[in-house]
Amino acid sequence: MQTKINLDQFLVNKEVTLQTEPGLKEIYYKLEEATKKISHVVNHAALVGILGKADKENVQGEEVMKLDELSNDWLIESLKSSKYCAGVASEEMEDFISFDQCQNEEAKYIVLFDPLDGSSNIDTCSAIGTIFSIYKRKSKGELLLSDFLQKGNDILSAGYVIYGSSTILVYSMGHGVNAFTLDHKEGEYILSHEKIQTPTSSTILSISFGYYNFYEKRVLDFCHWCLEEDKATNRPLTQRYIGSMVADIHRNLLKGGIFLYPATTKSPNGKLRLQYECNPLSFIQKQAGGKYTNGISDILEIVPTELHQRVPIALGSSDLVDKYLSFK
Ligand code: AHG
Ligand code: MN
Ligand code: MN
């Protein structure tokens, strides 16, 4: 039988980034701690009375679910207990939080997260997730807003945890993408997918056709191309859209495909958030050999001007992203 390698062992033995950034190990330990708790409660939500709405709206005017709040609290609580973490910013909070230890030199890292992605799927037992990214702070002493407005290419490490039929943590520190499946019995993330490379040719289209009447011509032209019949290019493509970005991206990462959340006439910047969703998932996609775009330029090169910036996005296998970009 093969020896099981857990995430902590893998980080210590295989992750070259830890040689220069040893504090990242503890940040990961804290992310593991919080996401194991979230995974447990997501699996038992109906039994512990945690389904449903929290009866408030977040900074983006979206409905907050009880599990959004709880996940947010647990991530903050865990990260706050690391001397290496200076502060955090979350999709669910208007402002970033500075931890007391931010004054210390060891507190070199900040973490940005979407505590629970796919909120609308929480109550229906569909896959949801946590998305995170870790940056090195630029300031010393007090944290500044500018620490949280770094471009995606400054990410030190990013990843997500998908709470689906399994709980899987996928991460990269800039040297490939690896995934770890939570062994619920042992309470450990065990290496299950090493050096993930996304297929370069693919057959899955992930977009909401609910906004068909609000997309620009270019998006519609691309979708029509995807739906045409052509055996040589495996068309028509298969449509898969869950409505949890993390779940749509995870499936497409493994199977090949393109995910789009474009601009609409009603939301000219799309819906998805640059720092909490698009940057970390583009970073993963890039590390897995895939592509990503806002339709015009490199998402990871955008310098954010605010904490809750939105951006249109298309990402996935290179053949389909290139094809999308060929439509003007
Ligand atoms: P969140 O639950 O963190 O607010 O994110 C939901 C996002 C994303 O996960 C998903 O792809 C998208 O919203 C779905 O939006 P539509 O319902 O507009 O398709
Ligand atoms: Mn989200
Ligand atoms: Mn969310």
Side-chain angles (χ1 to χ4, degrees):
M1 216 180 85
Q2 256 191 326
T3 332
K4 289 179 178 175
I5 302 171
N6 69 32
L7 178 54
D8 300 345
Q9 292 164 336
F10 188 87
L11 290 178
V12 172
N13 296 322
K14 298 242 179 147
E15 197 46 80
V16 289
T17 310
L18 286 191
Q19 290 163 11
T20 45
E21 306 290 348
L24 280 184
K25 187 174 159 253
E26 190 174 290
I27 301 285
Y28 264 82
Y29 181 72
K30 299 298 175 187
L31 289 169
E32 282 183 55
E33 182 181 76
T35 57
K36 283 176 194 171
K37 280 162 80 174
I38 298 171
S39 172
H40 182 79
V41 81
V42 160
N43 274 286
H44 297 82
L47 304 181
V48 289
I50 203 77
L51 288 178
K53 299 170 191 167
D55 288 328
K56 56 164 108 151
E57 285 187 347
N58 67 12
V59 53
Q60 353 231 351
E62 297 160 346
E63 208 158 56
V64 177
M65 306 295 283
K66 289 181 194 164
L67 266 172
D68 284 321
E69 271 197 322
L70 195 64
S71 309
N72 196 51
D73 292 349
W74 279 343
L75 283 160
I76 295 169
E77 187 182 284
S78 283
L79 290 164
K80 198 179 185 173
S81 67
S82 168
K83 63 180 178 189
Y84 297 106
C85 186
V88 297
S90 160
E91 182 193 277
E92 296 299 336
M93 303 185 301
E94 189 160 0
D95 294 315
F96 65 87
I97 299 184
S98 293
F99 298 148
D100 290 345
Q101 62 267 29
C102 75
Q103 302 292 345
N104 303 340
E105 221 171 278
E106 275 173 319
K108 282 200 260 180
Y109 309 109
I110 52 166
V111 184
L112 282 73
F113 50 81
D114 174 356
L116 212 53
D117 175 65
S119 298
S120 67
N121 286 318
I122 288 177
D123 286 357
T124 57
C125 198
S126 306
I128 50 183
T130 296
I131 308 172
F132 60 86
S133 50
I134 307 166
Y135 294 79
K136 226 172 179 167
R137 63 184 293 189
K138 297 211 153 140
S139 60
K140 291 211 159 62
E142 285 303 316
L143 272 182
L144 304 172
L145 176 62
S146 54
D147 289 317
F148 294 89
L149 301 181
Q150 299 186 52
K151 59 181 194 300
N153 270 331
D154 292 334
I155 287 176
L156 212 49
S157 180
Y160 58 82
V161 178
I162 175 168
Y163 312 107
S165 47
S166 302
T167 292
I168 300 186
L169 184 151
V170 179
Y171 90 96
S172 176
M173 288 190 187
H175 301 280
V177 180
N178 299 295
F180 297 77
T181 300
L182 183 60
D183 179 335
H184 290 279
K185 225 166 102 206
E186 303 291 332
E188 287 193 78
Y189 282 109
I190 306 291
L191 179 64
S192 51
H193 308 66
E194 199 168 356
K195 295 188 189 127
I196 297 173
Q197 283 291 297
T198 197
T200 46
S201 85
S202 49
T203 54
I204 297 176
L205 168 67
S206 307
I207 187 169
S208 170
F209 281 123
Y211 307 114
Y212 187 90
N213 289 320
F214 308 111
Y215 290 139
E216 57 191 12
K217 182 174 175 297
R218 174 197 204 174
V219 175
L220 294 176
D221 286 348
F222 172 68
C223 290
H224 292 152
W225 177 86
C226 292
L227 301 178
E228 278 166 17
E229 191 164 15
D230 177 41
K231 276 207 177 111
T233 50
N234 288 317
R235 286 179 292 150
L237 302 191
T238 304
Q239 201 218 350
R240 293 280 183 274
Y241 187 78
I242 294 171
S244 293
M245 185 189 194
V246 97
D248 280 310
I249 296 294
H250 184 71
R251 181 203 52 242
N252 290 5
L253 185 77
L254 298 182
K255 293 197 151 190
I258 185 168
F259 171 91
L260 300 101
Y261 205 113
T264 64
T265 44
K266 294 190 170 184
S267 309
N269 294 319
K271 171 186 182 186
L272 299 174
R273 278 111 330 189
L274 176 62
Q275 288 103 306
Y276 310 112
E277 292 162 322
C278 299
N279 274 340
L281 294 175
S282 297
F283 181 84
I284 291 289
Q285 201 66 236
K286 182 180 182 178
Q287 285 296 320
K291 290 193 171 174
Y292 51 91
T293 179
N294 64 359
I296 305 164
S297 58
D298 182 343
I299 286 183
L300 294 174
E301 275 302 307
I302 298 174
V303 180
T305 52
E306 50 179 314
L307 266 186
H308 298 281
Q309 197 161 325
R310 295 174 196 261
V311 68
I313 190 166
L315 75 170
S317 299
S318 54
D319 60 337
L320 289 177
V321 177
D322 285 341
K323 188 72 201 176
Y324 171 61
L325 286 171
S326 74
F327 288 90
K328 300 290 169 209

